[in-house]
Amino acid sequence: MASLAKTPEPWDAEDYWTLAYPLSILMAAVAGAAFDRRAWLAGLVLTMGQLPVLLVQSGGGPMIAVGLLLLVVLAIPAAILSGCSGWLARRWCGSLG
């Protein structure tokens, strides 16, 4: 997203908040449902996967700490949602057997 929009940080792109971030939240829910245990890690990994892109795009300047903090904050809803979808999938699949 950042390279397409020619911005150093992904969240500076125009479509990040309306397209990319909601899509990553949805992907975290789907991935969390596929995990048996520790489904919350799916949301964390998907969100923190933006860190290498951030480092390459921005060059790791002085604002990298702010970017890292923002990624951690953005990972919280994704981790919660993927954890909940994993729990629901285990509960639903467990009731089938």
Side-chain angles (χ1 to χ4, degrees):
M1 181 69 57
S3 62
L4 292 174
K6 295 182 171 68
T7 61
E9 290 86 18
W11 44 84
D12 288 339
E14 186 176 319
D15 292 333
Y16 182 79
W17 297 106
T18 57
L19 182 65
Y21 184 63
L23 185 60
S24 73
I25 295 287
L26 179 63
M27 289 177 3
V30 171
F35 285 175
D36 186 29
R37 298 277 180 210
R38 296 186 182 147
W40 61 272
L41 283 172
L44 182 69
V45 168
L46 281 169
T47 305
M48 296 307 287
Q50 297 175 69
L51 184 59
V53 175
L54 174 65
L55 290 172
V56 169
Q57 294 283 347
S58 69
M63 294 297 287
I64 195 65
V66 175
L68 182 59
L69 179 63
L70 182 59
L71 283 177
V72 168
V73 170
L74 292 176
I76 293 170
I80 290 171
L81 187 60
S82 62
C84 289
S85 68
W87 178 80
L88 286 172
R90 283 192 311 274
R91 187 169 172 90
W92 185 70
C93 291
S95 68
L96 293 177

Tab-separated table of all heavy atoms in Angstrom, residues 28 35 39-52 75 78-79 82:
chain	number	residue	atom	x	y	z
A	28	ALA	N	-7.183	-11.536	9.659
A	28	ALA	CA	-6.813	-12.020	10.988
A	28	ALA	C	-7.916	-12.907	11.561
A	28	ALA	O	-7.637	-13.936	12.180
A	28	ALA	CB	-6.537	-10.844	11.926
A	35	PHE	N	-6.512	-21.564	13.231
A	35	PHE	CA	-5.560	-22.018	14.253
A	35	PHE	C	-6.287	-22.761	15.363
A	35	PHE	O	-7.382	-22.387	15.751
A	35	PHE	CB	-4.813	-20.841	14.863
A	35	PHE	CG	-3.750	-20.252	13.987
A	35	PHE	CD1	-3.080	-19.120	14.379
A	35	PHE	CD2	-3.418	-20.812	12.771
A	35	PHE	CE1	-2.092	-18.562	13.589
A	35	PHE	CE2	-2.432	-20.269	11.972
A	35	PHE	CZ	-1.775	-19.141	12.389
A	39	ALA	N	-4.670	-18.599	18.640
A	39	ALA	CA	-5.194	-17.955	17.436
A	39	ALA	C	-4.920	-16.456	17.440
A	39	ALA	O	-4.820	-15.844	16.373
A	39	ALA	CB	-6.692	-18.211	17.326
A	40	TRP	N	-4.751	-15.869	18.611
A	40	TRP	CA	-4.489	-14.438	18.701
A	40	TRP	C	-3.192	-14.057	17.988
A	40	TRP	O	-3.032	-12.917	17.557
A	40	TRP	CB	-4.444	-13.989	20.157
A	40	TRP	CG	-3.371	-14.655	20.956
A	40	TRP	CD1	-3.456	-15.837	21.625
A	40	TRP	CD2	-2.042	-14.185	21.150
A	40	TRP	NE1	-2.259	-16.137	22.220
A	40	TRP	CE2	-1.366	-15.131	21.958
A	40	TRP	CE3	-1.348	-13.052	20.728
A	40	TRP	CZ2	-0.048	-14.984	22.346
A	40	TRP	CZ3	-0.028	-12.907	21.121
A	40	TRP	CH2	0.609	-13.856	21.915
A	41	LEU	N	-2.286	-15.029	17.848
A	41	LEU	CA	-1.024	-14.745	17.159
A	41	LEU	C	-1.234	-14.390	15.684
A	41	LEU	O	-0.422	-13.681	15.101
A	41	LEU	CB	-0.076	-15.939	17.264
A	41	LEU	CG	0.631	-16.098	18.598
A	41	LEU	CD1	1.384	-17.409	18.641
A	41	LEU	CD2	1.554	-14.934	18.863
A	42	ALA	N	-2.312	-14.876	15.098
A	42	ALA	CA	-2.578	-14.573	13.683
A	42	ALA	C	-2.733	-13.070	13.479
A	42	ALA	O	-2.150	-12.496	12.553
A	42	ALA	CB	-3.832	-15.308	13.208
A	43	GLY	N	-3.488	-12.428	14.336
A	43	GLY	CA	-3.659	-10.974	14.236
A	43	GLY	C	-2.379	-10.220	14.499
A	43	GLY	O	-2.065	-9.235	13.819
A	44	LEU	N	-1.623	-10.697	15.458
A	44	LEU	CA	-0.352	-10.060	15.785
A	44	LEU	C	0.629	-10.165	14.620
A	44	LEU	O	1.244	-9.178	14.211
A	44	LEU	CB	0.239	-10.693	17.042
A	44	LEU	CG	1.551	-10.106	17.534
A	44	LEU	CD1	1.341	-8.702	18.061
A	44	LEU	CD2	2.150	-10.994	18.608
A	45	VAL	N	0.754	-11.360	14.057
A	45	VAL	CA	1.700	-11.579	12.956
A	45	VAL	C	1.285	-10.797	11.716
A	45	VAL	O	2.128	-10.178	11.053
A	45	VAL	CB	1.826	-13.088	12.649
A	45	VAL	CG1	2.552	-13.327	11.343
A	45	VAL	CG2	2.520	-13.798	13.796
A	46	LEU	N	-0.005	-10.807	11.390
A	46	LEU	CA	-0.455	-10.072	10.205
A	46	LEU	C	-0.199	-8.568	10.335
A	46	LEU	O	0.205	-7.917	9.367
A	46	LEU	CB	-1.936	-10.321	9.954
A	46	LEU	CG	-2.259	-11.638	9.275
A	46	LEU	CD1	-3.751	-11.915	9.310
A	46	LEU	CD2	-1.758	-11.625	7.840
A	47	THR	N	-0.426	-8.032	11.509
A	47	THR	CA	-0.221	-6.595	11.690
A	47	THR	C	1.258	-6.248	11.781
A	47	THR	O	1.727	-5.309	11.140
A	47	THR	CB	-0.955	-6.100	12.944
A	47	THR	OG1	-2.330	-6.466	12.848
A	47	THR	CG2	-0.858	-4.596	13.075
A	48	MET	N	2.005	-7.012	12.563
A	48	MET	CA	3.427	-6.711	12.732
A	48	MET	C	4.225	-7.045	11.473
A	48	MET	O	5.372	-6.634	11.347
A	48	MET	CB	3.989	-7.440	13.939
A	48	MET	CG	3.370	-6.995	15.260
A	48	MET	SD	3.410	-5.219	15.539
A	48	MET	CE	5.130	-4.981	15.893
A	49	GLY	N	3.624	-7.764	10.546
A	49	GLY	CA	4.270	-8.039	9.272
A	49	GLY	C	4.504	-6.779	8.451
A	49	GLY	O	5.256	-6.803	7.464
A	50	GLN	N	3.890	-5.692	8.864
A	50	GLN	CA	4.112	-4.417	8.183
A	50	GLN	C	5.435	-3.769	8.593
A	50	GLN	O	5.916	-2.857	7.919
A	50	GLN	CB	2.974	-3.441	8.504
A	50	GLN	CG	1.636	-3.906	8.010
A	50	GLN	CD	0.543	-2.973	8.445
A	50	GLN	OE1	0.466	-1.843	7.970
A	50	GLN	NE2	-0.298	-3.425	9.353
A	51	LEU	N	6.023	-4.250	9.694
A	51	LEU	CA	7.253	-3.638	10.200
A	51	LEU	C	8.411	-3.710	9.209
A	51	LEU	O	9.077	-2.694	8.987
A	51	LEU	CB	7.641	-4.262	11.541
A	51	LEU	CG	8.855	-3.655	12.226
A	51	LEU	CD1	8.648	-2.181	12.499
A	51	LEU	CD2	9.156	-4.397	13.520
A	52	PRO	N	8.679	-4.862	8.577
A	52	PRO	CA	9.770	-4.865	7.587
A	52	PRO	C	9.530	-3.892	6.432
A	52	PRO	O	10.465	-3.241	5.966
A	52	PRO	CB	9.797	-6.306	7.085
A	52	PRO	CG	9.120	-7.104	8.122
A	52	PRO	CD	8.131	-6.191	8.783
A	75	ALA	N	-2.268	-3.778	16.264
A	75	ALA	CA	-2.284	-5.238	16.410
A	75	ALA	C	-3.267	-5.695	17.482
A	75	ALA	O	-3.733	-6.843	17.440
A	75	ALA	CB	-0.887	-5.753	16.738
A	78	ALA	N	-6.714	-6.679	16.062
A	78	ALA	CA	-6.526	-7.858	15.205
A	78	ALA	C	-6.281	-9.103	16.035
A	78	ALA	O	-6.820	-10.175	15.743
A	78	ALA	CB	-5.361	-7.622	14.241
A	79	ALA	N	-5.483	-8.984	17.101
A	79	ALA	CA	-5.209	-10.130	17.968
A	79	ALA	C	-6.463	-10.556	18.726
A	79	ALA	O	-6.732	-11.756	18.871
A	79	ALA	CB	-4.088	-9.793	18.943
A	82	SER	N	-8.823	-12.241	16.089
A	82	SER	CA	-8.354	-13.571	15.670
A	82	SER	C	-8.442	-14.564	16.823
A	82	SER	O	-8.767	-15.734	16.617
A	82	SER	CB	-6.934	-13.498	15.106
A	82	SER	OG	-6.010	-13.058	16.067
